[in-house]
């Protein structure tokens, strides 16, 4: 297996702010890598550096076997980049948008390529509809179709499903898996935990630093977090009181239950001890990916404060 | 609470929010102050409806002291400046057609003799009347200068000639626009203004729109080169501009009877160059403007001097030196000279070559700026 993305020490600065701070990232061919992290953590900037839209201030590496900087034009031709904001033209029809993209990539037999893409999308009867009139979910699927028109070997998707309904998200992810099955490598940023779990592997970035790497299970197992779930007698109402306790990473209400987690088992016990209500039952549970990410974010903040 | 007080409180909220937003857009604020100041300066200092120092060629076939005195007197009116020696009618005509000379004063052979003998003495003044407003005050100055000279020079035995009602006739010939119609001047100039107005703004908006709607990032991620983006964005507008010109030309012929004496290809070439220059300027603006409002403001900022300093609305030669320098830097100035030259005077390519060359040079300069400012990355 060869690494499709293999970059080391990527740095991007805007003035005094380091937005991406020595990020290493390697992704094997055909893998779907979920790119997670809080808003403003440098996900978009990293994606833009990989696809040649931004010049890194530091670091090096290869994308699709090409040098990240010198091979920019070659990389562009074999990469599909889907921007966070809808990047196609609202005032062109679906067919016209796809045709424009096909022409820019100098594809042969444009009419056929566009027709096939529209058929795959299932938009045959709406090909002459303006892209601006499509719903959010359809827009994203169309944008995806546009980015794979030239059969790229690498897909970079920047929060492709933000604001899209669950069914459309499901369809979108089915398509991503189908593309990966064809050997396309995918790096996709998201805020949704269910989407993170559908990825082969995850990279978690916070404040420009890569904090965790691996499969979802590996990341949870390596986190060293302990979690408890509380049920019964308005357990969810305990959340505000417990979240401020020392050593507690997260105290979150899920419906009528409460999810409590900490890297320190003793801290967990101390927090439970502050609850006098004996009607509440505490049981041990697996920490969730969300717990881990919140914990990692806190760690990143502590590191920043220490530095 | 009192409904008036609560309405005022909400009003205050609105005012504060609006003022804060305005403060966040310094370019708009700047424009709001710079444009009125620019208008004030241009209207107050640059524009002069009574232009002086107009380039004039003198052909004198009568070498008498009286002729020389008249020429001197005409010179001291301030309305004319001698544009080098001219020794033939045809040379003077060529200069006028090229726009280098606005007046040709001819004193015929035997002028002095005619004055003395009380025969009909004549001085011929041919004026380039493409801009009729500059002609009238200049002619009045000539008449006054001649009358004064005759009074001073015709003394003693010659005083009898002076007594005659009008010892010297000034024969005025308005070239290119015999009836002195203002619309002959306006219509060819308007072409330049219409093209400046629409072409600059259209491209400035077209490119800014890509940034504002977020489609530029997508475009940059695809294999398309800056020059291709620029030329591709510009080309459809070249066609639109060409159609605009055709419409204005046909209308000017049908409704205003404005002549078209010159060669169509010279006009076509200059028009194409001019349209492209304007589009390149618009493209450059779009690389600076952060949103479509700013693009419109910058286009307006460019349009104002193009209307006032190009010789379209006011005589170019009436402006002070600094305004002429600014005016000469505007492509509209040169295009308007070309369109007036071709349409009204039938000027040839060779005569207009300097203006056309200037447009071409401007295109290269602006095009280079536009391409170098356009970024392949988002850095």
């Amino acid at each position: 297996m060869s690494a499709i993305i293999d970059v080391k020490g990527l740095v991007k600065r805007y003035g005094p702010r380091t937005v991406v701070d020595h990020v290493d990232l390697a992704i094997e061919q055909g893998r779907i890598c979920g790119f997670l992290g809080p808003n403003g953590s440098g996900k978009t900037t990293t994606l833009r550096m990989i696809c040649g839209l931004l010049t890194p201030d530091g670091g090096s590496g290869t994308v699709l076997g090409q040098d990240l900087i010198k091979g920019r034009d070659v990389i562009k031709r074999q990469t599909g980049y889907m921007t966070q904001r809808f990047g196609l033209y609202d005032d062109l029809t679906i067919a016209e948008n796809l045709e424009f993209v096909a022409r820019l990539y100098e594809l042969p037999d444009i009419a056929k390529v566009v027709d096939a893409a529209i058929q795959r999308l299932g938009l045959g009867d709406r090909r002459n509809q303006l892209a601006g009139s499509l719903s959010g979910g359809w827009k994203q699927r169309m944008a995806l179709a546009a980015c794979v028109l030239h059969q790229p070997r690498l897909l970079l998707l920047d929060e492709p499903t933000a604001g899209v309904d669950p069914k459309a998200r499901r369809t979108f992810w089915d398509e991503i898996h189908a593309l990966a099955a064809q050997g396309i490598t995918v790096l996709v940023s998201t805020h949704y935990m269910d989407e993170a779990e559908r990825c082969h592997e995850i990279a978690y970035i916070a404040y420009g630093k890569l904090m965790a790497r691996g499969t979802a299970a590996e990341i949870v197992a390596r986190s060293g977090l302990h979690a408890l779930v509380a049920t019964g007698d308005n357990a969810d109402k305990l959340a505000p009181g417990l979240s401020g306790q020392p050593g507690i990473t997260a105290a979150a209400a899920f419906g009528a239950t409460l999810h409590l987690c900490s890297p320190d088992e003793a801290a967990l016990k101390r927090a439970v001890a502050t609850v006098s209500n004996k009607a509440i039952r505490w049981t041990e549970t697996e920490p969730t990916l969300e717990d881990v990410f919140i914990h990692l974010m806190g760690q990143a903040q502590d590191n920043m404060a220490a530095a | 609470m009192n409904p008036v007080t609560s309405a005022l409180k909400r009003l205050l909220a609105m005012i504060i929010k609006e003022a804060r937003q305005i403060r966040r857009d310094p370019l708009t604020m700047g424009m709001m102050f710079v444009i009125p100041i620019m208008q004030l300066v241009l209207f107050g200092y640059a524009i002069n409806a009574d232009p002086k120092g107009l380039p004039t060629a003198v052909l004198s076939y009568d070498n008498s002291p009286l002729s020389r005195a008249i020429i001197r007197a005409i010179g001291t009116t301030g309305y004319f400046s001698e544009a080098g020696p001219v020794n033939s009618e045809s040379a003077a005509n060529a200069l006028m057609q090229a726009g280098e000379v606005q007046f040709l004063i001819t004193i015929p052979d035997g002028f002095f003799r005619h004055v003395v003998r009380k025969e009909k003495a004549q001085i011929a003044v041919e004026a380039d009347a493409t801009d009729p407003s500059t002609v009238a005050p200049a002619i009045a100055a000539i008449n006054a200068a001649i009358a004064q000279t005759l009074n001073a020079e015709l003394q003693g035995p010659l005083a009898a000639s002076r007594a005659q009602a009008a010892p010297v006739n000034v024969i005025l010939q308005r070239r290119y626009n015999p009836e002195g119609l203002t619309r002959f001047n306006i219509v060819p100039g308007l072409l330049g203004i219409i093209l400046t107005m629409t072409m600059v703004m259209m491209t400035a908006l077209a490119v800014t729109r890509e940034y504002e709607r977020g489609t530029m990032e997508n475009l940059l991620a695809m294999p398309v080169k800056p020059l291709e983006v620029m030329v591709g964005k510009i080309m459809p507008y070249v066609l639109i501009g060409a159609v605009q010109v055709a419409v204005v030309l046909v209308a000017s012929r049908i409704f205003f009877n404005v002549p078209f004496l010159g060669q169509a290809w010279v006009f076509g070439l200059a028009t194409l160059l001019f349209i492209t220059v304007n589009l390149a300027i618009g493209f450059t603006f779009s690389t600076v403007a952060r949103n479509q409002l700013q693009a419109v403001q910058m286009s307006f900022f460019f349009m104002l001097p193009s209307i006032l300093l190009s010789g379209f609305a006011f005589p170019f030669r009436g402006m002070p030196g600094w305004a002429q320098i600014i005016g000469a830097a505007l492509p509209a100035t040169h295009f308007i000279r070309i369109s007036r030259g071709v349409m009204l005077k039938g000027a040839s390519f060779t005569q207009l070559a300097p203006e056309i060359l200037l447009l071409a040079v401007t295109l290269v300069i602006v095009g280079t700026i536009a391409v170098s400012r356009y970024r392949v990355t988002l850095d």
Side-chain angles (χ1 to χ4, degrees):
Chain A
M1 290 285 262
S2 59
I4 292 298
I5 295 179
D6 190 5
V7 291
K8 283 193 177 65
L10 278 190
V11 175
K12 184 71 190 176
R13 290 187 197 92
Y14 288 117
R17 238 158 40 88
T18 304
V19 180
V20 174
D21 194 358
H22 295 90
V23 166
D24 302 341
L25 198 60
I27 303 172
E28 302 286 312
Q29 197 213 322
R31 302 281 279 179
I32 301 172
C33 177
F35 202 18
L36 286 101
N39 288 328
S41 56
K43 296 192 298 290
T44 300
T45 308
T46 307
L47 288 176
R48 284 176 175 172
M49 283 193 280
I50 291 170
C51 72
L53 276 179
L54 285 177
T55 316
D57 293 320
S60 62
T62 60
V63 174
L64 294 160
Q66 301 290 328
D67 183 84
L68 185 60
I69 291 143
K70 283 182 231 135
R72 190 179 266 170
D73 287 345
V74 185
I75 295 170
K76 268 190 191 181
R77 288 203 164 269
Q78 298 181 25
T79 304
Y81 173 51
M82 187 170 155
T83 52
Q84 196 168 347
R85 223 172 127 187
F86 184 59
L88 293 166
Y89 298 90
D90 280 340
D91 46 359
L92 291 184
T93 66
I94 296 159
E96 286 165 348
N97 266 305
L98 294 174
E99 187 195 302
F100 172 64
V101 173
R103 283 185 198 281
L104 279 189
Y105 284 104
E106 304 158 65
L107 301 183
D109 210 348
I110 286 161
K112 221 172 92 188
V113 170
V114 170
D115 276 341
I118 290 175
Q119 289 312 321
R120 267 201 308 279
L121 276 171
L123 280 173
D125 49 337
R126 290 159 77 182
R127 55 177 296 143
N128 293 324
Q129 195 178 324
L130 292 183
S133 68
L134 290 171
S135 70
W138 278 111
K139 269 190 186 173
Q140 296 311 83
R141 287 192 57 206
M142 180 191 140
L144 179 65
C147 340
V148 297
L149 221 49
H150 62 293
Q151 299 184 313
R153 291 165 57 208
L154 171 65
L155 265 184
L156 304 170
L157 311 174
D158 195 1
E159 292 185 29
T161 54
V164 168
D165 70 59
K167 183 168 175 287
R169 268 173 56 199
R170 176 65 65 87
T171 324
F172 193 91
W173 273 87
D174 290 344
E175 280 165 24
I176 292 178
H177 271 277
L179 290 165
Q182 291 166 30
I184 298 178
T185 310
V186 182
L187 177 58
V188 50
S189 74
T190 179
H191 285 300
Y192 296 110
M193 291 305 135
D194 59 317
E195 291 185 355
E197 278 156 2
R198 288 196 72 174
C199 296
H200 295 129
E201 51 191 276
I202 290 166
Y204 184 83
I205 186 173
Y207 306 103
K209 286 197 168 68
L210 194 69
M211 304 291 293
R213 189 77 181 86
T215 65
E218 282 168 2
I219 288 180
V220 171
R222 272 199 304 246
S223 70
L225 288 180
H226 304 277
L228 293 172
V229 66
T231 50
D233 200 19
N234 294 328
D236 57 300
K237 303 261 186 326
L238 295 170
L242 287 174
S243 60
Q245 296 283 335
I248 296 299
T249 304
F254 284 88
T257 68
L258 175 81
H259 186 88
L260 192 65
C261 117
S262 167
D264 177 8
E265 238 177 324
L268 217 50
K269 287 205 175 99
R270 279 196 298 275
V272 170
T274 64
V275 179
S276 49
N277 190 341
K278 297 298 170 217
I280 288 172
R281 275 177 293 116
W282 296 90
T283 39
E284 256 186 62
T285 183
E286 271 284 290
T288 64
L289 203 51
E290 197 168 61
D291 290 332
V292 179
F293 290 155
I294 291 168
H295 171 62
L296 287 172
M297 207 170 133
Q299 263 190 344
Q301 264 169 332
D302 292 346
N303 290 349
M304 292 247 290
Chain B
M1 200 194 284
N2 183 335
V4 176
T5 330
S6 71
L8 284 176
K9 280 189 172 169
R10 292 190 299 266
L11 179 65
L12 184 68
M14 217 45 222
I15 292 171
I16 292 172
K17 168 238 154 210
E18 205 61 32
R20 282 180 174 154
Q21 284 179 315
I22 292 171
R23 212 183 50 200
R24 297 274 144 77
D25 190 357
L27 187 73
T28 303
M29 276 308 271
M31 289 281 183
M32 276 159 74
F33 292 105
V34 171
I35 287 180
I37 290 169
M38 191 162 120
Q39 279 173 319
L40 210 62
V41 170
L42 295 188
F43 278 107
Y45 294 113
I47 289 161
N48 176 8
D50 187 22
K52 306 234 164 120
L54 301 168
T56 304
V58 178
L59 262 177
S60 180
Y61 297 104
D62 178 75
N63 196 21
S64 67
L66 179 64
S67 305
R68 275 177 270 139
I70 287 178
I71 293 168
R72 263 199 313 278
I74 290 174
T76 52
T77 61
Y79 279 92
F80 307 93
S81 70
E82 174 109 37
V86 186
N87 40 32
S88 77
E89 176 101 36
S90 62
N93 279 336
L95 284 176
M96 190 177 282
Q97 205 169 23
E100 281 167 45
V101 147
Q102 196 167 2
F103 289 95
L104 169 60
I105 299 173
T106 311
I107 301 179
D109 188 21
F111 170 75
F112 180 65
R113 205 172 57 236
H114 287 306
V115 173
V116 173
R117 291 186 188 164
K118 300 177 189 173
E119 291 165 0
K120 267 189 185 162
Q122 291 181 336
I123 289 179
V125 176
E126 287 163 81
D128 175 348
T130 48
D131 188 351
S133 66
T134 55
V135 177
I139 294 303
I142 288 186
N143 279 321
I146 291 173
Q148 240 174 16
T149 318
L150 291 176
N151 271 336
E153 296 284 320
L154 300 181
Q155 299 290 346
L158 294 176
S161 309
R162 198 177 46 175
Q164 199 186 336
V168 174
N169 266 336
V170 174
I171 311 285
L172 171 66
Q173 196 200 345
R174 293 170 194 271
R175 293 275 283 273
Y176 314 123
N177 184 4
E179 293 164 71
L181 299 172
T182 317
R183 60 172 187 257
F184 276 27
N185 184 50
I186 296 290
V187 171
L190 202 56
L191 268 176
I193 299 306
I194 291 173
L195 288 176
T196 304
M197 224 154 71
T198 50
M199 295 292 106
V200 172
M201 199 182 294
M202 289 313 268
T203 22
L205 282 178
V207 184
T208 319
R209 191 156 52 224
E210 297 258 10
Y211 282 106
E212 212 173 278
R213 291 194 186 164
T215 50
M216 192 50 100
E217 187 181 357
N218 197 37
L219 201 57
L220 289 172
M222 294 194 276
V224 58
K225 301 271 182 295
L227 191 68
E228 294 157 0
V229 172
M230 186 177 120
V231 175
K233 281 240 149 217
I234 282 177
M235 284 306 279
Y237 291 104
V238 172
L239 194 71
I240 294 172
V243 173
Q244 271 187 334
V245 170
V247 168
V248 174
L249 279 182
V250 170
S252 70
R253 191 60 194 251
I254 294 172
F255 299 120
F256 302 110
N257 217 8
V258 178
F260 192 104
L261 302 177
Q263 291 158 298
W265 72 268
V266 179
F267 189 78
L269 175 74
T271 307
L272 215 60
L273 262 174
F274 181 61
I275 290 174
T276 319
V277 169
N278 280 321
L279 294 173
I281 290 170
F283 196 96
T284 310
F285 284 174
S286 73
T287 61
V288 181
R290 270 178 293 127
N291 54 51
Q292 295 192 55
L293 174 66
Q294 291 188 350
V296 172
Q297 286 172 332
M298 292 171 80
S299 311
F300 184 71
F301 190 76
F302 179 71
M303 219 169 65
L304 203 60
S306 293
I307 290 175
L308 298 177
L309 302 184
S310 63
F312 164 69
F314 304 98
F316 188 82
R317 290 191 176 111
M319 301 190 304
W322 61 267
Q324 290 199 13
I325 291 171
I326 299 173
L330 297 168
T333 306
H334 303 286
F335 179 73
I336 288 173
R337 286 180 193 164
I338 295 168
S339 69
R340 282 178 182 157
V342 174
M343 289 177 71
L344 306 177
K345 303 181 183 177
S348 68
F349 176 76
T350 347
Q351 282 167 327
L352 295 172
E355 308 285 350
I356 294 175
L357 190 71
L358 269 169
L359 282 184
V361 171
T362 314
L363 177 60
V364 173
I365 294 171
V366 179
T368 312
I369 296 173
V371 174
S372 68
R373 280 207 55 92
Y374 179 78
R375 296 261 160 265
V376 207
T377 60
L378 292 168
D379 288 300

